[in-house]
């Protein structure tokens, strides 16, 4: 079963994503901040990580860079969730090594579609 | 500083106006005004002397001529009046005597009757003729000879009268005749002597006369020659005396006229020309002095002008003050220049001071005093040019300032107030040791010009500083506002994500079935969520436009893709408003270089407007058109339209058409302004055509790009 880790500090959004992903047949792990995300990812090695950029403590960008720097996690699929749709934010995300980004507010259906697209890339 | 107008000019002018030049001026003008005691000879005197001599010579010539004339006429007189008549008279006497002798002899010897009358007649004439001879006898010898002749004649006559009665032809008569002849011979001898004497006399006279004529002729020629030679010599020497110096003067004047200012006449020649030469030199010297003064004045003017330009160029208060102080110090040979600004109606520490080549700020060594003096001086345009040791005690300056002046070495002080408009801003204080000279009028003028520019420059710099502060504050405020807008917009996105996300879950019946009633309610929620989302997007975009971060990342794309996304976003709104949404899109790809998100925003905004401003329902059409170089995307509606007077304002931020406000249609007035920014970012154009009550068409045109340059879209959104 495909495992997706969701790192999102907004509990309601987190619950929404977890609900929709599980409904769509994914196994979902959820954390509320960057450090927990990093620890949890290294422990469970999920197939895809949904990273909110603005998180307390360690930002999604830092988590992404740390993952890409570590050979064990360098190949992970990473998709950002961001409230900032500006080019500079997007560029920073892509430079940090993200596979895709989803701008808030998003449609849950679109989220699932993006996630599955990203995962398909992994398979191929 | 003391108010003492009498000191402003008088002492400065008398004691300090170029003291260094005074000793030089004496040798520069030798013999000016008074004649030199022993100079060159005067030409006039020489000429007077020469002409005097010439006239004397002429007079001598005339005298010689006159004397000669007199002598000649005297000689002629003697010759014609005495000698010649004597000669004639003597000859006639001899003839008459001869006749008498012959008459007597013939009578005695031959008794010829004819001779008696001859004898009688001649005898009768003899005394008269004798008197004639005596009358013409002049000198002693002639008189003596005449007397002898008379004796001889009377002897003959006496004898003749004794014998004329003798009977002719008798022996006694013959003897008597012989004796008479002897008497006659005596007479004849004397007459001949007289004749010979007179002849010699005549010759002598003639010879003497000739000699004198020659002598006087020679004298005249001699005098005339002397006069001629003298005249020639004088002419030559006069010419030589005049020509050389005059040529020198002419050449010097020509050189001076040609701008060779150091040319001078070498004074020589007669005293008059010598004086003229000196006068020319004096004029040239004076002209040099004037030129020097003018050059100095013009240098000062130039410096003041340049300084003014430098001062005015700067808009920084410190720089303005430093420039002014440094310029004044460097140009005016000041030992110390300080600039005192008026702070809170007082003047004290120098805000900037230049001393010994160093600029310092806030030099507190100067006592503080009220600013009224400076204000008063500024108002009266008064500049104080004085000697510190001559500042009167008990003047207007406070004792502390008076004391400070007394403490310093004797100096030339120049105090120039400056200000802006009617307000005095401060004063420039210039000092230099008194022995280096007081401040000349041109220096004072230059300092005044710099002070005027300083006032002007300071005023402007202060205004500029205030403006800049204001601008900085406003800019900070604006940044805060933009940041706030951005933060708020971002913070609004998270709750909106929840609303939109959970709404979709409910509508998808992920949480169980929805009744029709519930569905209508959820529609309302969705509509407002979309509205809120658009509003937030507008605000966010505005904050990015204002912060300068609104840039497009252009990529090759098919413009139909963002259009489709926008249509799907806006569809619920159209449905709710009862607006029929029609799309007339090209079947072929429409290639442009664009930012997909921004193009989607632009189309969404236009569609949103079309629906919003068709309150009673209606028709909205989105159409695309491909031209040779352009791709046009237009949105038309059959809504309320825009009043004509509002149309030119439609791209202004926060501007809303008057009819929209009147109908209380919600909105921010940002939509079109954002669309315009997007179109501008794509090097495109847009326009609005609208008729109030009939509808509006907004068209955007983007540069068409070459087909085939399109790359696969990341989002992979398919065209339905």
């Amino acid at each position: 079963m495909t495992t997706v880790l969701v790192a999102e500090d907004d509990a309601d959004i987190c619950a929404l994503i977890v609900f929709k992903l599980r409904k769509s047949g994914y196994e979902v792990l959820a954390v509320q901040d960057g450090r927990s995300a990093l620890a949890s990812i290294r422990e469970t090695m999920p197939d895809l990580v949904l990273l909110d950029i603005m998180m307390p403590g360690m930002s999604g960008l830092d988590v992404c860079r740390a993952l890409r720097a570590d050979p064990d996690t360098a190949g992970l699929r990473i998709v950002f969730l961001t409230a900032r749709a500006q080019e500079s934010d997007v560029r920073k995300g892509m430079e940090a090594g993200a596979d895709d980004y989803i701008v808030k507010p998003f449609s849950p259906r679109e989220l699932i579609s993006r996630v599955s697209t990203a995962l398909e890339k992994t398979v191929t | 500083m003391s108010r003492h107008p009498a000191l402003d000019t008088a002492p400065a002018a008398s004691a300090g106006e170029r003291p260094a030049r005074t000793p030089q001026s004496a040798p520069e003008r030798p013999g000016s005004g008074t004649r030199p005691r022993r100079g060159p000879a005067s030409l006039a005197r020489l000429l007077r002397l020469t002409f005097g001599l010439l006239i004397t010579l002429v007079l001598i010539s005339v005298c010689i001529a006159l004397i000669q004339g007199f002598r000649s006429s005297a000689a002629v007189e003697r010759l014609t009046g005495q000698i010649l008549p004597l000669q004639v008279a003597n000859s006639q006497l001899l003839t008459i005597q001869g006749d008498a002798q012959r008459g007597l002899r013939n009578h005695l010897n031959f008794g010829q009757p004819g001779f008696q009358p001859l004898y009688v007649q001649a005898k009768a004439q003899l005394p008269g003729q004798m008197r004639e001879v005596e009358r013409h006898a002049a000198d002693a010898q002639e008189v003596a000879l005449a007397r002898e002749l008379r004796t001889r004649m009377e002897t003959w006559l006496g004898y003749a009268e004794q014998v004329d009665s003798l009977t002719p032809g008798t022996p006694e008569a013959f003897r008597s005749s012989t004796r008479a002849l002897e008497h006659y011979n005596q007479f004849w001898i004397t007459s001949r002597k007289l004749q010979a004497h007179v002849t010699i006399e005549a010759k002598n006279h003639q010879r003497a006369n000739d000699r004198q004529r020659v002598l006087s002729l020679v004298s005249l020629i001699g005098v005339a020659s002397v006069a001629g030679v003298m005249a020639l010599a004088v002419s030559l020497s006069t010419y030589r005396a005049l020509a050389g110096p005059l040529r020198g003067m002419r050449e010097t004047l020509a050189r001076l006229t040609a701008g060779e200012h150091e040319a001078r006449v070498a004074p020589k020649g007669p005293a008059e020309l010598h004086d003229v030469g000196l006068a020319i030199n004096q004029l040239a010297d004076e002209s040099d002095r004037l030129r020097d003064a003018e050059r100095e004045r013009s240098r000062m003017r130039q410096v003041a002008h340049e300084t003014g330009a430098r001062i005015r160029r700067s808009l920084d208060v410190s720089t303005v003050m430093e420039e002014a102080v440094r310029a004044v110090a460097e140009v005016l040979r000041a030992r110390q220049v300080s600039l005192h600004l008026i702070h809170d109606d007082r003047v004290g520490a120098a805000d900037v001071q230049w001393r010994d080549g160093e600029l310092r700020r806030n030099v507190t060594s100067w006592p503080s005093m009220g600013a009224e003096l400076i204000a008063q001086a500024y108002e009266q345009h008064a500049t104080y040019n004085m000697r510190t040791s001559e500042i009167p005690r008990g003047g207007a300056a406070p004792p502390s300032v008076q004391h400070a002046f007394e403490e310093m070495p004797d100096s030339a002080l120049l105090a120039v107030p400056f200000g802006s408009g009617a307000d005095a801003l401060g004063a420039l204080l210039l000092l230099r040791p008194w022995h280096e000279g007081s401040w000349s009028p041109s220096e004072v003028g230059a300092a005044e010009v710099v002070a005027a520019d300083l006032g002007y420059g300071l005023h402007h710099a202060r205004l500029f500083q205030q403006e800049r502060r204001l601008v900085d504050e406003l800019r900070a405020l604006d940044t805060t506002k933009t940041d706030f807008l951005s933060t708020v917009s971002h913070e609004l996105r998270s709750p909106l994500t929840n609303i939109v996300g959970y709404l979709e879950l409910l509508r998808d019946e992920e949480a169980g079935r929805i009744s029709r009633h519930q569905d209508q309610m959820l529609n309302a929620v969705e509509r407002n969520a979309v509205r809120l989302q658009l509003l937030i997007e507008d605000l966010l975009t505005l904050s990015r436009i204002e912060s300068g971060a609104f840039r497009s990342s252009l990529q090759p794309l098919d413009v139909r893709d963002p259009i489709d996304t926008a249509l799907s976003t806006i569809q619920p709104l159209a449905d709710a408003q009862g607006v029929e949404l029609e799309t007339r899109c090209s079947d072929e790809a429409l290639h442009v270089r664009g930012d997909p998100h921004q193009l989607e925003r632009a189309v969404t905004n236009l569609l949103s407007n079309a629906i919003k401003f068709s309150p009673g329902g209606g028709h909205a059409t989105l159409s695309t058109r491909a031209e040779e170089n352009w791709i046009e995307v237009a949105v038309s509606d059959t809504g309320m339209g825009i009043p004509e007077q509002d149309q030119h304002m439609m791209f202004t931020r926060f501007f809303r058409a008057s009819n929209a406000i009147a109908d209380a249609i919600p909105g921010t007035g940002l939509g079109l302004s954002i669309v315009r920014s997007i179109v501008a970012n794509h090097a495109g154009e847009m326009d609005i055509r609208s008729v109030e009550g009939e509808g509006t068409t907004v068209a955007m045109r983007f540069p068409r790009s070459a087909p085939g340059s399109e790359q696969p879209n990341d989002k992979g959104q398919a065209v339905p």
Side-chain angles (χ1 to χ4, degrees):
Chain A
M1 194 173 223
T2 312
T3 310
V4 175
L5 185 132
V6 181
E8 166 65 66
D9 63 327
D10 187 310
D12 288 336
I13 295 177
C14 192
L16 174 73
I17 294 169
V18 170
F19 178 84
K20 189 68 185 178
L21 283 172
R22 285 197 175 133
K23 267 278 186 185
S24 308
Y26 296 102
E27 189 170 320
V28 186
L29 289 167
V31 291
Q32 308 282 318
D33 64 86
R35 288 183 199 291
S36 319
L38 206 54
S40 192
I41 289 163
R42 282 178 177 146
E43 192 184 320
T44 58
M45 291 300 284
D47 297 293
L48 185 140
V49 182
L50 270 174
L51 266 179
D52 184 19
I53 287 183
M54 297 289 281
M55 282 188 296
M58 195 175 183
S59 79
L61 289 173
D62 294 336
V63 174
C64 180
R65 286 188 197 106
L67 290 176
R68 289 296 184 226
D70 185 345
D72 291 342
T73 55
L76 266 179
R77 299 295 96 187
I78 299 171
V79 175
F80 276 127
L81 291 171
T82 177
R84 295 175 178 271
Q86 296 168 29
E87 326 61 69
S88 61
D89 301 312
V90 173
R91 198 181 63 239
K92 272 186 221 162
M94 299 311 268
E95 276 169 7
D99 292 285
D100 198 2
Y101 61 94
I102 297 165
V103 180
K104 293 177 186 177
F106 52 84
S107 143
R109 282 195 295 272
E110 192 193 336
L111 175 87
I112 297 303
S113 146
R114 299 282 194 96
V115 166
S116 75
T117 306
L119 283 168
E120 277 168 24
K121 279 185 189 169
T122 318
V123 176
T124 56
Chain B
M1 190 173 359
S2 172
R3 184 97 188 95
H4 199 293
L7 287 174
D8 289 359
T9 52
S14 63
E17 178 66 9
R18 299 186 181 225
R21 291 204 67 134
T22 319
Q24 290 172 4
S25 58
E28 273 175 16
R29 32 177 102 172
S32 63
T34 55
R35 269 287 191 75
R37 181 166 293 194
R38 244 192 87 74
S42 157
L43 180 68
R45 225 171 59 193
L46 180 72
L47 289 178
R48 261 201 311 275
L49 201 70
T50 311
F51 281 113
L53 270 171
L54 282 175
I55 288 167
T56 310
L57 286 174
V58 168
L59 285 176
I60 289 171
S61 305
V62 169
C63 284
I64 291 171
L66 280 175
I67 289 166
Q68 172 60 25
F70 278 128
R71 281 191 174 174
S72 291
S73 91
V76 168
E77 182 110 340
R78 169 121 173 81
L79 203 64
T80 56
Q82 290 179 321
I83 294 172
L84 289 182
L86 183 60
Q87 223 170 3
V88 170
N90 191 38
S91 294
Q92 282 176 349
L93 183 65
L94 189 60
T95 306
I96 294 167
Q97 183 69 51
D99 287 347
Q101 169 64 25
R102 202 167 48 250
L104 181 63
R105 184 177 60 101
N106 286 348
H107 169 67
L108 288 179
N109 287 351
F110 307 108
Q112 290 174 342
F115 289 103
Q116 180 74 14
L118 181 68
Y119 161 73
V120 174
Q121 190 185 359
K123 198 177 78 172
Q125 284 175 343
L126 269 176
Q129 188 62 35
M130 186 65 221
R131 278 196 303 280
E132 188 70 13
V133 170
E134 280 170 340
R135 196 164 59 87
H136 290 292
D139 63 9
Q141 200 174 353
E142 283 167 8
V143 171
L145 285 172
R147 201 177 292 131
E148 193 186 337
L149 202 60
R150 173 170 280 276
T151 308
R152 303 282 180 214
M153 182 198 78
E154 281 171 354
T155 305
W156 183 85
L157 270 179
Y159 184 74
E161 277 176 6
Q162 285 172 21
V163 295
D164 62 5
S165 52
L166 291 177
T167 311
T170 63
E172 195 185 4
F174 267 115
R175 279 191 310 272
S176 297
S177 169
T178 307
R179 282 293 303 265
L181 184 63
E182 284 169 7
H183 286 299
Y184 171 77
N185 282 344
Q186 287 297 319
F187 179 86
W188 184 85
I189 289 164
T190 306
S191 180
R192 291 307 301 178
K193 269 159 80 180
L194 182 60
Q195 196 69 20
H197 169 77
V198 170
T199 305
I200 290 165
E201 190 73 359
K203 273 185 182 162
N204 284 347
H205 246 85
Q206 192 69 42
R207 205 173 297 132
N209 198 20
D210 287 349
R211 211 168 39 239
Q212 266 173 3
R213 192 176 298 136
V214 168
L215 195 69
S216 61
L217 197 64
V218 168
S219 307
L220 275 176
I221 288 171
V223 170
S225 303
V226 169
V229 167
M230 230 172 79
L232 193 66
V234 167
S235 305
L236 275 175
S237 74
T238 307
Y239 173 77
R240 271 220 302 274
L242 293 180
L246 281 176
R247 196 184 308 116
M249 280 180 211
R250 201 182 55 207
E251 283 168 4
T252 306
L253 285 172
R255 281 166 65 198
L256 283 171
T257 314
E260 209 177 309
H261 301 305
E262 68 279 2
R264 289 291 181 278
V265 177
K268 59 184 180 187
E272 291 85 349
L273 289 187
H274 192 265
D275 285 354
V276 172
L278 287 177
I280 290 174
N281 286 352
Q282 254 176 277
L283 281 174
D285 289 346
E286 187 57 32
S287 158
D288 276 357
R289 267 193 293 280
L290 287 174
R291 204 177 304 108
D292 283 350
E294 182 53 37
R295 199 178 296 127
E296 178 68 8
R297 257 200 301 281
S298 117
R299 188 179 75 90
M300 291 290 175
R301 267 203 302 274
Q302 176 67 20
V303 164
H305 176 76
E306 284 168 5
T307 308
R310 246 153 64 190
I311 289 173
R312 287 194 301 271
R313 206 178 300 138
S314 175
L315 283 171
D316 177 69
V317 171
S318 299
T319 312
V320 166
M321 294 198 294
E322 284 170 10
E323 284 285 355
V325 167
R326 189 180 288 122
V328 168
E330 284 170 2
V331 172
L332 297 189
R333 296 187 295 112
R335 180 65 62 87
Q336 177 183 314
V337 179
S338 41
L339 189 156
H340 302 259
L341 285 181
I342 296 174
H343 299 286
D344 301 326
D345 288 333
R346 289 198 73 74
V347 180
D351 294 80
V352 179
Q353 188 182 74
W354 183 97
R355 193 183 166 82
D356 302 324
E358 241 181 276
L359 264 183
R360 288 178 293 173
R361 302 185 62 84
N362 293 321
V363 182
T364 53
S365 59
W366 197 253
S368 172
M369 60 181 262
E372 311 82 43
L373 270 178
I374 292 176
Q376 195 184 353
Y378 175 69
E379 194 183 324
Q380 295 168 353
H381 305 287
T383 297
Y384 296 97
N385 181 7
M386 57 181 83
R387 186 174 181 174
T388 50
S389 62
E390 286 174 353
I391 295 172
R393 284 175 164 278
S400 57
V401 174
Q402 174 74 40
H403 185 67
F405 277 127
E406 283 169 5
E407 287 289 292
M408 64 172 63
D410 195 9
S411 302
L413 164 72
L414 185 64
V416 194
F418 59 84
S420 167
D423 301 325
L425 296 178
L428 270 177
L429 221 63
L430 283 74
L431 287 163
R432 74 171 165 225
W434 180 252
H435 64 80
E436 288 180 16
S438 71
W439 302 102
S440 73
S442 54
E443 286 175 317
V444 174
E448 283 173 344
V449 170
V450 173
D453 283 323
L454 175 61
Y456 179 85
L458 264 183
H459 179 66
H460 279 248
R462 283 178 170 179
L463 280 182
F464 179 71
Q465 237 172 24
Q466 281 173 10
E467 289 293 315
R468 200 166 47 185
R469 222 173 7 244
L470 202 65
V471 166
D472 287 347
E473 281 170 9
L474 286 175
R475 199 170 283 154
L477 203 65
D478 195 54
T479 307
T480 310
K481 185 205 75 182
T482 306
D483 288 349
F484 175 75
L485 214 58
S486 168
T487 308
V488 167
S489 309
H490 284 122
E491 289 307 313
L492 285 173
R493 282 180 174 226
S494 291
L496 198 63
T497 305
N498 281 312
I499 296 169
V500 172
Y502 284 107
L503 189 65
E504 189 185 298
L505 293 185
L506 287 174
R507 296 285 300 274
D508 286 354
E509 301 192 331
E510 303 266 14
R513 275 191 62 81
I514 306 274
S515 68
R516 206 164 63 87
H517 212 59
Q518 285 169 331
D519 189 50
Q520 283 172 352
M521 290 177 180
L522 287 178
N523 277 343
V525 173
E526 188 179 12
R527 261 197 324 273
N528 285 286
V530 170
R531 248 178 79 182
L532 195 57
Q533 191 179 343
L534 292 175
L535 180 59
I536 291 166
E537 289 303 320
D538 280 356
L539 286 174
L540 193 65
T541 305
L542 178 69
S543 82
R544 284 161 61 198
I545 290 171
E546 289 189 347
S547 69
F550 187 70
R551 284 185 293 272
S552 309
S553 63
L554 301 183
Q555 51 182 279
L557 55 81
D558 182 347
V559 85
R560 295 177 302 175
D561 293 347
I563 288 174
D564 288 336
T565 315
L567 280 169
S568 61
T569 306
I570 219 74
Q571 192 61 55
L573 219 58
D575 294 344
Q577 196 86 21
V579 175
E580 191 188 332
L581 205 54
E582 187 191 346
T583 310
R584 289 186 207 147
C585 257
S586 159
D587 291 336
E588 291 172 23
L590 302 170
H591 299 286
V592 295
R593 280 182 59 77
D595 183 315
H597 293 291
Q598 289 187 1
L599 290 180
E600 180 194 323
R601 278 295 306 286
V603 176
T604 308
N605 277 10
L606 294 187
L607 286 173
S608 158
N609 279 351
I611 292 159
K612 202 158 60 176
F613 296 111
S614 304
H619 201 81
T621 310
L622 187 147
S623 58
T624 62
R625 196 151 60 89
E627 292 172 20
E628 191 181 353
N629 296 319
W630 297 91
I631 301 290
E632 186 184 82
V633 179
V635 175
S636 312
D637 63 57
T638 54
M640 63 205 292
I642 304 164
E644 202 179 337
Q645 72 271 16
D646 292 343
Q647 288 184 11
H648 70 286
M649 292 288 285
M650 292 314 293
F651 295 123
T652 309
R653 280 183 292 163
F654 298 109
F655 179 83
R656 305 201 62 222
S658 50
N659 52 353
I661 296 170
D663 289 3
I665 292 172
T668 55
L670 292 172
L672 279 176
S673 127
I674 289 168
V675 171
R676 194 177 66 153
S677 290
I678 292 171
V679 171
N681 276 2
H682 286 76
E685 294 171 357
M686 72 180 292
D687 61 64
I688 295 183
R689 294 183 298 275
S690 181
V691 178
E692 192 176 6
E694 289 184 10
T696 305
T697 299
V698 182
M700 308 183 285
R701 274 179 297 281
F702 301 102
R704 188 173 184 175
S705 68
S709 61
E710 191 190 5
Q711 286 163 3
N713 195 323
D714 275 351
K715 289 177 181 174
Q717 283 170 331
V719 182

